[in-house]
Amino acid sequence: MKVPFMDLAAMHAPIAEDVVQLVGELAVTSAFIGGRHVAAFEEGWAAYCGTAHAVGVANGTDAIVLTLRALGVGAGDEVLVPANTFIASAAAVSAAGATPVFVDVDPVHLQVTPDTLEAARTERTRAILLVHLYGHIVPPAAIAAYAQRHGLLVVEDAAQAHGAIWEGRKAGSFGVAACFSFYPGKNLGAWGDGGAVVTDDPALAERIRSLANHGRAGGDHYKHAEIGVNSRLDALQAGILSLKVPHLDSWNAAKNEIASLYRDKLAGLIVEPPEGVTSAWHLFVVRVADRDGVRERLGAQGVQASVHYPIPCHQQPAYGVAAHAPVAEAAAGELLSLPMFPSMTSEQVEYVSAKLVEALPS
Ligand SMILES: Cc1ncc(COP(=O)(O)O)c(C=O)c1O
């Protein structure tokens, strides 16, 4: 049996005809930038997340950069970032002109806690970038209380957590703003790059919209209130995302069923979400000894596994900063992401689980 890491084609089959129609319409209208598809997606995505506003941007990295800029976080400011996230979380902080300060995580869920945040906080700390890694929401109540005590902003990096739920609320509805990526492999993925910021703050939404559109002010095309960038979600991506949103909950539910099947076979190995979190299971991650050997042995059995992420951010050549993150460092050598996609069959889950157990070092 061959089990791919993910199967995007199966997710696209139910929308394929509608996409053809969408492309046909855009060929006639030529409304490629902005327009009704972008507005409709933004309205729908805000409603889905339970926020008042959504602003489409070019990708998830820009969503973070523009949010920080719009919040006035930049040169001289520090932003707390988990050491074990994808590099874009940190790079976005740097691109905004601020300094990412890498934070260790708890050994069970691999998430930041008030204690690990406190170990990295200084008088220059302005914000926490709360990354819901793998689709597991970081329970926001304790983080919000900690942030409030120290006057810090909480920005969610929800790039891996579309539709994840904590106490009935969706990822993206907890911080001052939340940033999404619609990279094709995400739980809600475009057919190219895309991103969005959601927020309840109308002024923040407007400033991000302006910054993402050359700093344009109001409706005046050639009036620029500040120096912005070109970071817009295009109409084709927005239209495709709108076609996919109605499927997101059922895809996430299917992933949760697959996680339960895996749990029956692999209890004790899985990086689980905290109590009270319904994960989006963007990634299904286990911890194993001899990770690279296990991955190779799985590959030989037709099982495509991956690693998220092999090097913590602070140890990347791009940063290479001294940070004390022993938990993130130890985990990085053991993490293995197993196949996880909505159309995965129970036979495939059984096969992957059996082959994983066989591949473990004795
Ligand atoms: C946690 C996290 N943050 C940020 C990003 C950046 O998103 P993008 O690739 O759309 O720029 C990604 C995805 O790639 C991600 O996984």
Side-chain angles (χ1 to χ4, degrees):
M1 187 185 285
K2 285 218 180 313
V3 187
F5 186 64
M6 62 170 64
D7 184 357
L8 292 183
M11 295 169 79
H12 292 147
I15 63 162
E17 275 181 30
D18 290 330
V19 175
V20 171
Q21 204 177 333
L22 172 67
V23 171
E25 178 205 311
L26 292 175
V28 173
T29 63
S30 302
F32 300 118
I33 304 287
R36 73 179 185 94
H37 288 293
V38 175
F41 172 68
E42 289 178 338
E43 195 180 325
W45 187 239
Y48 179 88
C49 293
T51 60
H53 307 277
V55 181
V57 295
N59 54 67
T61 309
D62 281 1
I64 301 169
V65 178
L66 295 169
T67 298
L68 293 175
R69 278 190 63 187
L71 287 167
V73 177
D77 297 327
E78 293 179 350
V79 178
L80 301 178
V81 178
N84 59 338
T85 184
F86 178 54
I87 194 72
S89 309
V93 172
S94 301
T99 303
V101 173
F102 298 105
V103 177
D104 208 3
V105 289
D106 80 83
V108 177
H109 307 296
L110 304 182
Q111 297 183 329
V112 298
T113 68
D115 286 346
T116 66
L117 291 165
E118 183 59 15
R121 186 177 66 86
T122 74
E123 72 282 356
R124 295 204 301 163
T125 307
R126 285 281 313 281
I128 299 166
L129 187 66
L130 195 62
V131 183
H132 304 313
L133 200 69
Y134 308 148
H136 301 354
I137 289 175
V138 184
I143 304 293
Y146 171 79
Q148 201 174 11
R149 266 201 307 285
H150 298 288
L152 306 178
L153 297 161
V154 177
V155 174
E156 295 173 70
D157 178 343
Q160 302 192 359
H162 315 71
I165 298 167
W166 174 80
E167 297 203 347
R169 288 168 59 191
K170 295 263 174 53
S173 63
F174 309 121
V176 60
C179 305
F180 287 94
S181 162
F182 304 123
Y183 179 79
K186 300 298 196 217
N187 283 43
L188 182 68
W191 286 17
D193 277 312
V197 182
V198 297
T199 179
D200 282 333
D201 180 340
L204 182 64
E206 265 328 289
R207 186 153 188 221
I208 293 168
R209 190 179 295 290
S210 169
L211 281 173
N213 192 18
H214 301 295
R216 286 196 167 103
D220 194 336
H221 197 71
Y222 288 116
K223 188 155 177 205
H224 307 277
E226 56 186 326
I227 298 170
V229 293
N230 177 355
S231 181
R232 298 172 299 224
L233 181 68
D234 68 63
L236 177 61
Q237 301 309 336
I240 289 172
L241 290 167
S242 289
L243 291 171
K244 292 180 82 171
V245 171
H247 297 274
L248 179 56
D249 283 345
S250 64
W251 286 332
N252 282 353
K255 286 183 158 198
N256 271 281
E257 289 201 4
I258 292 160
S260 298
L261 294 177
Y262 267 132
R263 200 172 278 130
D264 290 343
K265 311 282 173 193
L266 303 176
L269 298 179
I270 305 165
V271 179
E272 292 277 7
E275 188 78 20
V277 171
T278 303
S279 179
W281 291 107
H282 172 59
L283 296 167
F284 185 87
V285 177
V286 293
R287 290 180 72 161
V288 294
D290 184 26
R291 187 264 318 284
D292 295 337
V294 171
R295 184 182 183 189
E296 211 175 292
R297 291 190 280 282
L298 281 177
Q301 296 298 323
V303 175
Q304 199 180 21
S306 190
V307 177
H308 301 87
Y309 296 94
I311 306 172
C313 293
H314 61 288
Q315 296 183 326
Q316 290 287 353
Y319 284 106
V321 293
H324 189 60
V327 176
E329 287 163 26
E334 299 176 357
L335 300 170
L336 186 68
S337 306
L338 299 181
M340 167 57 90
F341 47 92
S343 58
M344 198 174 172
T345 65
S346 50
E347 290 75 23
Q348 286 177 314
V349 179
E350 296 230 350
Y351 181 78
V352 173
S353 304
K355 293 301 157 193
L356 177 72
V357 171
E358 278 174 35
L360 294 176
S362 41

